[in-house]
Amino acid sequence: MQPCWATDRIERMATKKPVTPPPNPTRVPDRDDSDSVVLERVPLKVKPPGMYQVVMLNDDYTPMEFVVVVIQEFFGKDLEAATAIMLKIHLDGKGVCGVYSKDVAATKVDQVLDAAHKAGHPLKCLAEPVEF
Ligand code: TYC
């Protein structure tokens, strides 16, 4: 025989309505009612990092020889390739000196602008994303 307080407590528990937890809106159900697993297709969000081309611009004042040396020095071209790039820039107004990751391209631009500024030439270049 149980003491009276225990019987009271059990009766109260039996008549008390169970508390249902509120639905969690952030939880995505991973199973349906039939116990089968539901796989959700998650779209891939990662993209490979884009590449950047360093474009050099023509001007009327920077000596051709300086441009050729800069292209050799900072873009690793030999004399022939550097001269061809310089002439293309001279004739077309601009030309690509190389293609790099974003950070490396930005560093190349800084190096060229710094060298040109120190030498007193108005040579300009910029980095732009490569379209594909
Ligand atoms: N146009 C310049 C000249 O005739 C040469 C030059 C070439 C300058 C390429 C800039 O990015 C350049 N002296």
Side-chain angles (χ1 to χ4, degrees):
M1 179 76 177
Q2 286 170 327
C4 171
W5 60 265
T7 325
D8 280 357
R9 230 178 129 193
I10 291 164
E11 273 171 11
R12 260 188 280 117
M13 279 195 288
T15 54
K16 215 171 168 189
K17 231 178 129 199
V19 181
T20 43
N24 182 354
T26 58
R27 188 181 170 275
V28 180
D30 54 1
R31 286 171 180 276
D32 65 12
D33 289 344
S34 61
D35 252 9
S36 55
V37 177
V38 177
L39 294 177
E40 192 187 347
R41 192 177 288 276
V42 179
L44 244 165
K45 282 194 197 121
V46 283
K47 283 192 293 179
M51 298 298 279
Y52 284 70
Q53 54 190 21
V54 178
V55 177
M56 197 171 280
L57 307 176
N58 187 36
D59 66 71
D60 293 336
Y61 306 101
T62 306
M64 290 182 172
E65 296 75 19
F66 181 82
V67 178
V68 171
V69 170
V70 161
I71 295 171
Q72 284 180 276
E73 190 72 24
F74 298 122
F75 300 96
K77 309 292 184 191
D78 61 23
L79 177 62
E80 199 183 332
T83 304
I85 293 170
M86 182 280 295
L87 281 175
K88 190 206 180 302
I89 301 166
H90 177 72
L91 295 171
D92 297 352
K94 62 181 181 177
V96 176
C97 295
V99 176
Y100 308 94
S101 67
K102 191 176 188 179
D103 286 0
V104 173
T107 301
K108 303 277 179 197
V109 169
D110 286 349
Q111 289 172 325
V112 171
L113 296 181
D114 189 51
H117 182 76
K118 281 178 177 151
H121 300 311
L123 180 64
K124 292 286 172 277
C125 73
L126 51 93
E128 65 179 29
V130 177
E131 309 285 342
F132 59 93

